[in-house]
Amino acid sequence: MASHRRPKQASRARAYVLTGAAATAVALTAQVSAHAAPAQPSKDEVKAQVDKLLEEQEQAAEKYNGAKEKADQLRKQADQLQDQLARGQEQLTELSSGLAAVAADQYRQGGIDPSVRLMLSSDPDRYLDQASSFDQAASTQTATLKALEDQQRRLNQQKQEAAAVLAELDGQTQALNDAKGTVQSKLQETQRLLSTLSAADRAAIVRGTDGSASRSASRVDPTTLPQATGAAKVAVKAALDKQGSDYIWGASGPNTFDCSGLMVWAYAQAGVSLPRTSQEQATVGTNVGTDWRNAQPGDLVIYKSDRSHVGMYIGNGQVVHAPKAGDVVKVMKVDAISISVIRRV
């Protein structure tokens, strides 16, 4: 008689084992995927980040320019106050020496009041002569004492002014260093992002899409443009002559420039002094509004809501400007960036 044995459960056990192994594999795969390096950003993503960083860099650079201009003014003021203090101290020393000489003379006379000695004199003429001399000496001594007091008061005031200026200079120097650090960090992050791209893509991003001529493009010929007059004519020519010069933040010529530095240098060639930052340049001269069709060659075109960029109108709907880090002085369409205000110098 055949025996009836219960079938083995090995297949079911193997199924459990295989199912568990599969789940483990899936979990491990998920963990590996979770820790995998993130996908490289696309060219468009890098461009958006780079554009934002360069805009922030330009803002920081203009803050640096303003802080440096203020620090230079304070340093000059401090030097002038120090010179005044030195001269004032010399005058104070001279006045003190004069009073010391009078005191020494009185001591040599035995400390007797000069008027008493004169009254004891038996010679009336000598008495009158010496009395007159004594009055003059007393008057001189009083004037010297008053001058000494006035000079000491002025000296104390100058010391207070110098201390205040030096304290302000310290604060301005800190602001200068902070702005410089911000600029450098933005540029370093920009370079890191650009390094993830090919050379061609990097060049395309740096060149931009703002209607600018490329780094290798032909220079704009000034003879093809409407002619400016007076100082504007000299400034336009000077700026156009610098086409191809490198953008370097904080630079104002003669071979490298940032945006506001190019304006400062170009107008300086015409004997016109402009403030150092684009924000300050947005207040000079006459307001022409925001419609570039009303602009004349030589006008300053201030860009962006924070007025952190500036170019010079040259006619034919174009401006010459120093665009951004990695780029050069060149020409772009006047309305390629949002216009904040146009100023006629």
Side-chain angles (χ1 to χ4, degrees):
M1 182 175 181
S3 62
H4 297 281
R5 295 179 180 176
R6 180 177 297 179
K8 296 180 180 180
Q9 302 297 317
S11 59
R12 183 179 297 177
R14 282 197 299 273
Y16 286 146
V17 170
L18 290 174
T19 301
T24 301
V26 170
L28 288 172
T29 302
Q31 291 178 7
V32 170
S33 299
H35 290 87
Q40 287 289 94
S42 67
K43 173 186 171 183
D44 290 341
E45 290 172 335
V46 170
K47 182 181 185 308
Q49 294 178 60
V50 165
D51 287 346
K52 183 174 184 297
L53 284 167
L54 289 179
E55 183 174 355
E56 292 170 348
Q57 175 266 314
E58 188 168 43
Q59 293 169 350
E62 288 303 286
K63 288 181 180 178
Y64 172 88
N65 291 336
K68 184 175 186 303
E69 183 179 43
K70 180 64 175 176
D72 289 343
Q73 293 171 350
L74 288 170
R75 196 171 290 109
K76 183 178 180 180
Q77 186 178 353
D79 289 343
Q80 291 173 343
L81 284 170
Q82 294 288 359
D83 289 342
Q84 291 176 11
L85 282 171
R87 289 194 300 270
Q89 188 62 56
E90 289 177 0
Q91 294 172 1
L92 191 67
T93 301
E94 290 176 2
L95 291 170
S96 299
S97 298
L99 285 177
V102 172
D105 183 64
Q106 290 180 347
Y107 177 79
R108 284 193 298 271
Q109 298 297 329
I112 302 175
D113 190 291
S115 61
V116 174
R117 291 200 306 275
L118 287 173
M119 287 189 328
L120 296 175
S121 174
S122 58
D123 186 344
D125 292 333
R126 182 171 178 273
Y127 170 82
L128 292 175
D129 291 341
Q130 292 191 2
S132 176
S133 298
F134 169 71
D135 289 340
Q136 291 176 2
S139 176
T140 299
Q141 182 177 358
T142 301
T144 301
L145 183 59
K146 184 178 184 305
L148 183 66
E149 293 174 345
D150 291 342
Q151 183 62 26
Q152 184 66 64
R153 192 179 302 111
R154 283 193 296 270
L155 200 61
N156 290 338
Q157 182 178 354
Q158 288 171 350
K159 286 180 180 178
Q160 292 176 356
E161 292 175 1
V165 168
L166 290 172
E168 188 177 358
L169 178 58
D170 286 342
Q172 204 61 43
T173 301
Q174 183 61 51
L176 190 68
N177 291 335
D178 290 345
K180 182 177 181 179
T182 300
V183 171
Q184 291 175 333
S185 67
K186 299 295 182 185
L187 290 176
Q188 289 171 357
E189 179 63 13
T190 297
Q191 290 301 319
R192 187 193 68 77
L193 285 169
L194 288 173
S195 68
T196 65
L197 302 176
S198 66
D201 285 344
R202 285 199 300 271
I205 289 177
V206 170
R207 183 164 61 247
T209 56
D210 57 3
S212 299
S214 71
R215 178 183 284 268
S216 60
S218 300
R219 294 158 60 97
V220 172
D221 184 355
T223 62
T224 65
L225 301 170
Q227 292 299 301
T229 59
K233 180 178 181 179
V234 177
V236 168
K237 182 181 184 303
L240 287 173
D241 284 346
K242 291 302 177 180
Q243 291 176 91
S245 297
D246 286 330
Y247 173 102
I248 298 293
W249 71 273
S252 56
N255 299 314
T256 58
F257 305 88
D258 61 17
C259 68
S260 56
L262 178 63
M263 305 299 107
V264 169
W265 183 86
Y267 263 101
Q269 308 316 299
V272 177
S273 177
L274 291 182
R276 183 59 181 87
T277 69
S278 57
Q279 289 86 358
E280 292 174 307
Q281 290 171 8
T283 66
V284 301
T286 305
N287 189 337
V288 182
T290 59
D291 188 347
W292 67 265
R293 297 169 188 83
N294 297 325
Q296 296 178 4
D299 288 353
L300 304 181
V301 184
I302 314 297
Y303 292 103
K304 305 177 184 179
S305 59
D306 62 358
R307 300 182 170 184
S308 60
H309 190 68
V310 59
M312 183 184 296
Y313 189 69
I314 58 174
N316 295 350
Q318 297 175 305
V319 296
V320 59
H321 70 145
K324 57 189 176 183
D327 214 332
V328 297
V329 174
K330 58 189 180 182
V331 168
M332 76 169 180
K333 296 176 182 178
V334 64
D335 57 352
I337 308 174
S338 176
I339 297 174
S340 173
V341 67
I342 302 170
R343 307 294 298 196
R344 185 157 299 148
V345 179

